[in-house]
């Protein structure tokens, strides 16, 4: 493909050289550049790609896209100066891979909590409706039945469009995609054509990246602001910012709710460990999923399916048979003592509160709730004392432990969690830095019928300590401890 074709829709400031040259591949990483590559110099939070322009030319790059032109030019190389290299990368990748998002029904799911579950449920639903689908999520990427490992919530623009092209080539008709605030802000999704967007909710998260809550909201909202008029936008009417998200969108607007009038209205009739019984637009259905938060997720999924033209009865029938995403309120019951063990990804104060509130509602009598929880290192520190406070306030016993400490000292993270505790809370908790030992202690304390929640890691099968990922699976460790103590 020629450089000229790849630059379609890019905001160009100046060009030095010939744009009719052929380009073999696009690269954001200077180390991957080889003969015939086009290198896009992006100013990242850690590294500025402009520093590597001389290096990539020695490796054989035929073109460079940058925000600041170099002082001198090399013969035979084309230089393109753009307003924003990250945004340009989005458009260029979309063009280079044949505009794949225009050949599928691409649905983006954004919000603080529920993105993975909603995207996964949509993937499972449309697969059961007979379509070949793609899924881009934190847990897994799927092309039909084939699993492609996930590295970020949303890959970079080039990897993302390459993956979408693979999905198109393998016959996918629908693609469901978690769309994080980071991906929106870093222009990883720029240039994509969405058939629809869904908003779950917004709470305190990623302030280490966005700095202020208002900025976090603005970034989320910008996703809806750019949806085309032939797309749909579905939002949660019960979230106080649900209406705000849809203010400036050109897309067709819909709301879902458990509490107020909405196009997709739900009501919970029963909420037990066996599942939810609820009405959706006056139709009574039994679902395998548990908890109020999943009632919202199901409404969002139902709304999207209806907007995509599917039969309402068939959608509800298929949804009633579907299970959730791995590591999202994932539970097992011990054989002998019927202790309920729950593994959940809850890693924000709000998500933890949701899970604990759900567990409280599911309690039949006075079973203890024992919670194992930690906080990730090198992430938003403001939520640590709040996480500690929420865990202690809504549990009978709490074990603070390591999550992914990354480069930080686990003991320091635990100390920061402890600062949120009042006198009563301090009587309920113990700190055990080793995660396996923490789970072991929680299971050993559990009596018949008690509920043990292991929060924070969910689907993750590793623990990241000092730059090394060690194999670790909360669910597997819990299973081992049930056996060890013959529970």
């Amino acid at each position: 493909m020629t450089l000229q074709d790849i630059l379609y829709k890019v905001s160009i400031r100046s060009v030095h050289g010939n744009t009719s040259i052929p380009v073999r591949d696009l690269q954001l990483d200077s180390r991957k550049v080889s003969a015939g590559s086009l290198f896009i110099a992006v100013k990242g939070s850690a590294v500025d790609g402009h520093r590597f322009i001389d290096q990539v030319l020695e490796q054989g790059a035929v073109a460079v896209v940058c925000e600041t032109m170099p002082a001198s030019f090399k013969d035979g190389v084309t230089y393109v100066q753009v307003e924003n290299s990250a945004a340009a990368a989005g458009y260029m990748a979309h063009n280079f891979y044949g505009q794949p998002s225009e050949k599928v029904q691409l649905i983006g799911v954004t919000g603080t909590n529920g993105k993975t579950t909603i995207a996964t449920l949509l993937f499972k639903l449309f697969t059961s409706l007979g379509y070949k689908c793609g899924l881009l999520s934190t847990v897994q990427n799927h092309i039909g039945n084939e699993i492609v490992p996930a590295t970020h919530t949303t890959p970079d623009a080039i990897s993302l469009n390459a993956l979408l092209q693979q999905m198109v080539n393998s016959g996918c008709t629908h693609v469901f995609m978690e769309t994080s605030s980071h991906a929106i802000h870093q222009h990883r999704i720029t240039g994509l054509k969405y058939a629809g967007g869904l908003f779950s909710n917004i709470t305190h998260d990623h302030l280490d990246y966005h700095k202020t809550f208002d900025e976090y909201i603005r970034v989320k909202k910008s996703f809806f602001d750019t949806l085309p008029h032939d797309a749909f936008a579905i939002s949660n009417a019960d979230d106080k910012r649900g209406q705000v998200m849809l203010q400036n969108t050109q897309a067709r607007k819909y709301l879902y709710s458990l509490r107020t009038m909405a196009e997709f209205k739900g009501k919970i009739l029963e909420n037990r460990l066996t599942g939810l019984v609820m009405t959706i637009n006056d139709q009574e259905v039994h679902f395998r999923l548990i908890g109020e938060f999943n009632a919202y997720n199901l409404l969002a999924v139902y709304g999207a399916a209806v907007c995509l033209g599917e039969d309402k009865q068939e959608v509800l029938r298929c949804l009633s048979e579907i299970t959730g995403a791995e590591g999202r309120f994932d539970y097992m019951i011990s054989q002998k003592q019927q202790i309920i063990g729950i593994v959940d990804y809850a890693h924000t104060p709000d998500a933890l509160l949701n899970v604990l509130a759900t567990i409280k509602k599911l309690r039949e009598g006075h079973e203890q709730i024992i919670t194992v929880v930690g906080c990730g290192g090198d992430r938003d520190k403001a939520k640590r004392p709040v996480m500690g406070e929420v865990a202690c306030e809504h549990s009978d016993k709490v074990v603070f432990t390591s999550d992914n400490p990354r480069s930080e000292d686990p003991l320091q993270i635990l100390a920061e969690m402890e600062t949120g505790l009042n006198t009563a809370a301090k009587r309920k908790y113990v700190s055990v830095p080793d995660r396996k030992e923490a789970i072991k202690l929680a299971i050993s304390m559990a009596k018949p019928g008690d509920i043990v929640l292991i929060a924070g890691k969910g689907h993750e099968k590793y623990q990241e300590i000092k730059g090394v990922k060690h194999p670790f699976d909360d669910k597997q460790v819990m299973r081992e401890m049930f056996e060890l103590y013959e529970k």
Side-chain angles (χ1 to χ4, degrees), residues 428-444:
K428 288 186 181 179
Y429 91 100
V430 58
S431 282
V432 180
D434 183 303
R435 194 170 180 91
K436 188 168 185 175
E437 290 301 318
I439 295 171
K440 186 177 179 181
L441 175 63
I443 301 295
S444 74

Side-chain angles (χ1 to χ4, degrees), residues 149-400:
T151 49
H152 297 81
T153 308
T154 316
D156 68 66
I158 297 171
S159 315
L160 179 55
N161 279 280
L163 204 47
L164 286 170
Q165 186 200 39
Q166 266 184 278
M167 290 174 177
V168 170
N169 291 346
S170 69
C172 291
T173 53
H174 297 72
V175 177
F176 304 103
M177 174 176 162
E178 275 190 62
T179 306
S180 70
S181 53
H182 290 58
I184 301 165
H185 189 252
Q186 292 167 9
H187 293 284
R188 289 184 237 159
I189 61 165
T190 296
L192 298 183
K193 183 181 188 293
Y194 283 90
L198 292 105
F199 171 72
S200 60
N201 51 59
I202 199 158
T203 60
H204 189 291
D205 196 20
H206 297 309
L207 296 196
D208 53 326
Y209 179 84
H210 295 290
K211 306 303 179 215
T212 69
F213 194 47
D214 286 344
E215 171 63 7
Y216 181 41
I217 292 164
R218 186 195 68 73
V219 170
K220 291 273 189 212
K221 185 177 174 300
S222 70
F223 168 63
F224 293 95
D225 294 350
T226 55
L227 286 177
H229 62 86
D230 58 350
F232 62 82
I234 300 176
S235 188
N236 180 354
D238 298 348
D239 185 280
K240 61 182 175 189
R241 293 179 180 83
Q243 305 266 12
V244 173
M245 288 293 151
L246 306 187
Q247 261 172 7
N248 305 327
T249 188
Q250 298 176 61
R252 304 188 308 280
K253 303 177 189 183
Y254 301 91
L255 294 168
Y256 62 93
S257 170
L258 288 174
R259 316 218 188 290
T260 180
M261 289 302 293
E263 285 83 2
F264 307 112
K265 175 79 173 79
K267 185 183 180 190
I268 296 174
L269 305 177
E270 281 180 32
N271 180 10
R272 297 198 177 138
L273 262 174
T274 51
L276 279 162
V277 179
M278 62 185 285
T279 56
I280 292 186
N281 287 1
D282 298 325
Q283 203 45 49
E284 188 175 315
V285 196
H286 184 285
F287 297 104
R288 293 184 179 192
L289 301 173
I290 297 162
E292 186 182 80
F293 57 94
N294 272 323
Y296 281 107
N297 294 337
L298 287 160
L299 281 170
V301 169
Y302 173 77
V306 170
C307 287
L308 284 165
E310 297 304 314
D311 179 76
K312 294 173 184 178
Q313 294 299 325
E314 187 60 8
V315 166
L316 290 175
R317 188 189 69 74
C318 291
L319 273 180
S320 70
E321 296 171 358
I322 288 172
T323 53
E326 188 192 3
R328 302 319 199 254
F329 213 92
D330 206 349
Y331 71 96
M332 65 172 93
I333 300 172
S334 72
Q335 277 187 329
K336 293 183 181 172
Q337 298 187 4
Q338 303 294 291
I339 294 162
I340 298 163
I342 298 168
V343 171
D344 194 272
Y345 187 55
H347 62 292
T348 65
D350 184 71
L352 184 60
L353 182 60
N354 274 343
V355 173
L356 286 167
T358 297
I359 292 170
K360 274 185 170 173
K361 285 178 188 167
L362 298 173
R363 266 205 296 204
E364 311 262 310
H366 297 289
E367 306 91 339
Q368 288 190 106
I369 299 173
I370 303 168
T371 300
V372 178
V373 66
C375 288
D378 306 334
R379 296 292 186 270
D380 188 357
K381 292 186 177 189
K383 68 184 180 189
R384 291 174 186 174
V386 191
M387 289 286 279
E389 181 186 18
V390 167
C392 288
E393 190 177 334
H394 299 278
S395 313
D396 298 289
K397 291 176 181 167
V398 180
V399 185
F400 289 167

Side-chain angles (χ1 to χ4, degrees), residues 69-106:
M69 286 287 209
S72 61
F73 300 115
K74 183 177 177 180
D75 288 345
V77 175
T78 306
Y79 299 81
V80 181
Q81 186 184 18
V82 296
E83 293 286 340
N84 182 315
S85 294
Y91 288 116
M92 292 162 76
H94 196 233
N95 295 331
F96 184 79
Y97 288 103
Q99 300 172 334
S101 68
E102 296 184 10
K103 297 168 186 171
V104 291
Q105 298 272 29
L106 176 64

